[in-house]
C-alpha cells in the first residue's frame, strides 16, 4: 500500500516541483520589490511568502517557514532543536540613528545532570563520535520555540496561531519525500535502530522512504496544534515535556537524564549583537555561545588590508589569503569561544581593530603559515586553557533569510545537530544531539577547555547568521548557512564574493567553498578549486579536497528591490513579490 501511494505521489510532486523550478528558472521571480524569503525547502518558502502576503512581518514568515521545516526537513532543524536569530529593524532615515539589530539566542542548554565527563565512558575513554551523536546523552534542552515566542512577542504582527496553520495543514495532507531526505535516511547508520524513527522513515519492509513518497505526520500536526493554541509552554511542560524526558531516559542507546524543570526553566536570551566594520559596510553577527559571529568578523577585518577587488575571485591568491585569515581566526575560536555565561570570552578584545591588524600581519601573500597559536587580545590575561576544534557535522542544519514589506529582516540559522539529531523521535519531531558540540574530552595537558560540558551551559556553535548594512544603516545583505564549523568559511566567502567581487547573490552562494580551520585548506570537491591544489601546496598549504555542503540562503538589497539566492547544493528557493 505504502509503495502504491508512493508512485501516485511521485506524479503529483513532479508537477509540484516543476511549478517551483519554473518559478526560480523564470529568473524574474528571484528578484522582488516588496518582500522576499529564501530557505532550504520550497514548501517552507511558500508558507513564508503566504505570511508576507498577508502583511506578516519577517519574524512571522520565519516562524511559519520554520514550522514547515520541522516537518519536511526533519534531518536538519525543528522544534526539538535550537537556533540563533538576528533581527534587523530599519530606523526612520530622518532620525539618523543606527538601525536596531537584535541577537536572539535559542541555543540548547545542558540539563542539570550533565557533568564535564558527559562523553567519557566508565573505562575513562572518550565515547566515539559515531556513538555519541545518537541517543540520549547528546540531547540538550531545546530552545527553538522559546526563542521564536520571544521574537514573536517583540516583532510579530500576525497571531502566533496563524503561523502554525501551513505546517499543520501540510502535516495532515502529506508532503513528498525529497531526494535529500531520502539519501540521508538511506545513508544513516543509526536511524533504523530507534523504533519511532524506524516506523516513520522506512517502509514496512525496512527500505528507506523513496523519493516522492507522500509522508504524513499526524502526530506532529497534533503537537503543532497544541503549541499553536497554548504557546511554547505547551512544549516545555505537560505531556510533550514528559515524553521528551522519557524518550531520553528510556532509549537503548546512551540513555540520559533530563528533568522536567530543565525544560520549564529554559530561557531564550537576547544577547549583545556583534558589530564590526568591513570596508564601507557594517557587519552584524551573532555573539557567543556561537563562535560564528566572532570568527566571520575576524576573518573580514584581517582581510581589509588586502584589496580583494583587485585579486580575482577565481585565483590561487584569493584562496590563499582568505584561508590564511580563516586559519588565524580558528586559532582564537578553538581556544576562547564558549558559553559567555560560564567562561570569560574576550569578545571585544578579539574584535579589537589593533589586535586584528597585528594578527593580520602574520599573513604573507607568498607563504602559508603553519599551525597558528591563539593570540592574546589587548589588556587580556590569557587563562590556562586548552583549545578544542570540535567535530564536523556537514549534512544538517538550515538557514532562513527574510525581508518583509516594512524592511525588517530576519537571519536565522536553526539546527538539531547532526542529521536527524539524536535520532530520537518524540511526538512527530526529532530531538537534537547538540550537546555533542561540547568538548568530548574536557581538558588537555592539565588545562581545562573553555567549551567543556557543564550543567546549564550552552555548547559552542559555529552558526553565523549575519546581517550587513551600509554606513547609514540601510540593509545590504542577509545571509547564513549550515555546515558545522565550515559555516564560518561559507559565510565569509559569500560576503566577500558579493561585496568585494561584485557577484550577484546567487553566484556568491554558488561560488566554490573553501575553509581552513587551522589545519588543512579544504577545497570543495568537483569544482575548479581542485586545480589550485598544487599551487597552494607550493605556497605551503596542506590540502584536503572534500564535499563542502553549504546551505547558504541569502537576500541582497538593491535600490530597485531585493535579489534572493538559494544554495544549489541544497533543495531551496528564494521568492518574493
Ligand atoms: N551543531 C552545529 C553548530 O552549532 C550546527 C551547525 C551545523 O552543523 O551546520 O555549529
Amino acid at each position: 500500500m505504502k509503495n502504491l501511494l508512493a508512485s501516485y505521489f511521485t506524479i503529483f510532486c513532479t508537477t509540484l516541483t516543476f511549478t517551483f523550478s519554473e518559478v526560480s528558472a523564470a529568473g524574474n521571480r528571484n528578484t522582488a520589490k516588496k518582500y522576499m524569503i529564501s530557505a532550504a525547502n520550497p514548501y517552507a518558502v511558500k508558507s513564508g511568502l503566504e505570511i508576507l502576503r498577508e502583511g506578516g512581518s519577517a519574524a512571522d514568515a520565519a516562524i511559519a517557514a520554520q514550522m514547515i521545516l520541522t516537518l519536511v526537513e526533519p534531518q536538519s532543524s525543528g522544534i526539538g532543536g535550537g537556533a540563533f536569530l538576528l533581527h534587523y529593524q530599519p530606523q526612520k532615515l530622518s532620525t539618523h540613528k543606527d538601525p536596531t539589530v537584535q541577537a536572539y539566542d535559542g541555543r540548547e542548554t545542558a540539563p542539570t545532570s550533565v557533568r564535564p565527563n558527559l562523553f567519557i565512558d566508565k573505562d575513562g575513554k572518550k565515547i566515539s563520535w559515531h556513538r555519541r551523536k545518537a541517543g540520549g546523552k547528546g540531547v540538550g534542552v531545546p530552545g527553538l520555540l522559546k526563542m521564536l515566542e520571544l521574537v514573536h512577542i517583540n516583532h510579530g504582527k500576525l497571531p502566533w496561531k496563524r503561523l502554525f496553520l501551513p505546517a499543520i495543514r501540510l502535516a495532515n495532507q502529506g508532503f513528498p519525500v525529497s531526494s535529500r531526505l531520502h539519501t540521508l535516511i538511506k545513508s544513516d547508520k543509526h536511524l533504523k535502530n530507534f523504533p519511532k524513527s524506524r516506523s516513520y522513515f522506512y517502509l514496512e519492509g525496512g527500505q528507506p522512504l523513496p523519493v516522492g513518497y507522500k509522508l504524513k505526520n499526524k502526530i506532529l500536526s497534533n503537537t503543532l496544534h497544541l503549541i499553536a493554541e497554548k504557546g511554547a509552554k505547551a512544549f516545555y511542560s505537560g505531556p510533550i515535556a514528559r515524553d521528551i524526558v522519557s524518550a531520553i531516559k528510556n532509549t537503548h542507546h546512551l540513555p540520559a537524564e533530563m528533568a522536567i524543570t530543565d525544560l520549564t526553566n529554559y530561557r531564550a536570551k537576547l544577547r549583545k549583537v556583534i558589530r564590526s566594520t568591513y570596508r564601507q559596510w557594517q557587519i552584524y553577527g551573532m555573539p557567543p555561545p556561537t563562535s560564528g559571529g566572532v570568527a566571520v568578523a575576524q576573518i573580514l577585518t584581517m582581510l581589509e588590508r588586502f584589496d580583494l577587488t583587485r585579486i580575482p575571485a577565481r585565483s590561487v591568491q584569493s584562496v590563499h589569503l582568505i584561508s590564511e585569515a580563516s586559519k588565524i581566526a580558528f586559532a582564537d575560536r578553538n581556544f576562547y569561544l564558549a558559553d559567555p555565561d560560564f567562561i570569560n570570552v574576550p569578545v571585544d578584545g578579539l574584535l579589537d581593530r589593533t589586535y586584528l591588524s597585528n594578527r593580520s600581519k602574520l599573513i604573507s601573500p607568498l607563504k602559508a603559515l603553519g599551525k597558528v597559536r591563539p593570540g592574546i587580545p589587548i589588556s587580556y590575561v590569557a587563562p590556562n586553557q586548552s583549545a578544542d576544534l570540535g567535530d564536523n557535522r556537514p549534512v544538517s542544519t538550515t538557514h532562513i533569510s527574510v525581508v518583509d514589506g516594512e524592511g525588517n529582516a530576519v537571519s536565522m540559522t536553526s539546527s538539531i545537530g547532526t542529521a536527524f539529531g539524536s535520532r530520537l523521535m518524540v511526538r512527530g519531531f526529532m530531538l537534537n544531539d547538540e550537546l555533542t558540540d561540547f568538548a568530548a574530552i574536557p581538558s588537555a595537558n592539565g588545562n581545562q577547555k573553555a567549551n567543556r560540558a557543564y550543567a546549564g551551559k550552552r555548547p559552542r556553535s559555529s552558526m553565523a547568521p549575519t546581517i550587513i548594512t551600509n554606513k547609514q544603516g540601510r540593509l545590504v545583505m542577509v545571509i547564513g548557512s549550515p555546515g558545522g564549523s565550515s559555516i564560518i568559511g561559507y559565510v565569509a566567502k559569500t560576503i566577500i564574493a558579493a561585496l568585494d567581487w561584485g557577484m550577484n547573490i546567487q553566484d556568491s552562494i554558488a561560488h566554490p567553498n573553501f575553509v581552513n580551520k587551522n589545519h588543512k585548506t579544504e577545497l570543495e570537491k568537483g569544482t575548479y578549486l581542485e586545480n589550485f591544489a598544487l599551487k597552494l601546496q607550493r605556497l605551503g598549504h596542506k590540502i584536503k579536497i572534500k564535499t563542502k555542503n553549504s546551505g547558504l540562503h541569502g537576500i541582497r538589497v538593491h535600490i530597485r528591490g531585493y535579489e534572493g539566492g538559494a544554495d544549489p547544493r541544497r533543495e531551496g528557493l528564494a521568492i518574493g513579490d
Side-chain angles (χ1 to χ4, degrees), residues 340-529:
D341 296 339
F342 284 73
I343 293 288
N344 178 14
V345 186
V347 173
D348 292 341
L350 291 169
L351 296 177
D352 182 88
R353 292 186 71 80
T354 314
Y355 169 71
L356 287 173
S357 125
N358 286 331
R359 293 289 274 168
S360 176
K361 285 182 193 142
L362 296 174
I363 304 173
S364 153
L366 304 174
K367 194 172 174 329
L369 291 155
K371 203 170 168 71
V372 176
R373 293 174 63 79
I376 302 175
I378 292 154
S379 344
Y380 184 74
V381 182
N384 287 329
Q385 268 173 202
S386 239
D388 175 47
L389 175 60
D391 290 287
N392 205 4
R393 42 180 61 70
V395 287
S396 56
T397 308
T398 207
H399 184 83
I400 305 176
S401 292
V402 196
V403 183
D404 68 24
E406 290 175 2
N408 303 298
V410 161
S411 183
M412 171 166 81
T413 313
S414 178
S415 179
I416 52 168
T418 66
F420 305 102
S422 62
R423 279 73 170 172
L424 285 165
M425 195 171 200
V426 178
R427 293 194 174 238
F429 61 87
M430 305 306 294
L431 281 175
N432 71 85
D433 65 357
E434 219 74 73
L435 300 191
T436 58
D437 276 343
F438 279 126
I441 301 178
S443 56
N445 310 321
N447 292 327
Q448 294 193 324
K449 295 179 180 173
N451 186 35
R452 67 191 174 279
Y454 206 79
K457 194 173 172 183
R458 300 181 182 207
R460 181 189 64 197
S461 166
S462 302
M463 292 187 262
T466 306
I467 282 180
I468 302 174
T469 70
N470 66 9
K471 284 243 161 73
Q472 289 72 44
R474 290 183 75 132
L475 190 64
V476 167
M477 190 166 154
V478 186
I479 191 72
S481 179
S485 50
S486 297
I487 289 172
I488 291 162
Y490 300 156
V491 170
K493 167 219 74 175
T494 308
I495 293 173
I496 291 165
L499 302 186
D500 287 317
W501 296 328
M503 291 185 197
N504 66 46
I505 187 80
Q506 185 58 39
D507 290 349
S508 305
I509 286 171
H511 190 73
N513 287 320
F514 54 93
V515 63
N516 187 305
K517 304 175 187 174
N518 200 14
H519 186 38
K520 295 192 171 159
T521 300
E522 300 172 8
L523 305 174
E524 187 172 4
K525 197 174 174 174
T527 69
Y528 66 77
L529 289 180

Side-chain angles (χ1 to χ4, degrees), residues 129-149:
W129 165 242
H130 175 70
R131 291 197 69 228
R132 69 180 186 271
K133 68 185 179 183
K137 277 184 183 289
V139 185
V141 181
L144 182 76
L145 276 167
K146 278 263 174 93
M147 184 198 79
L148 290 180
E149 194 173 62

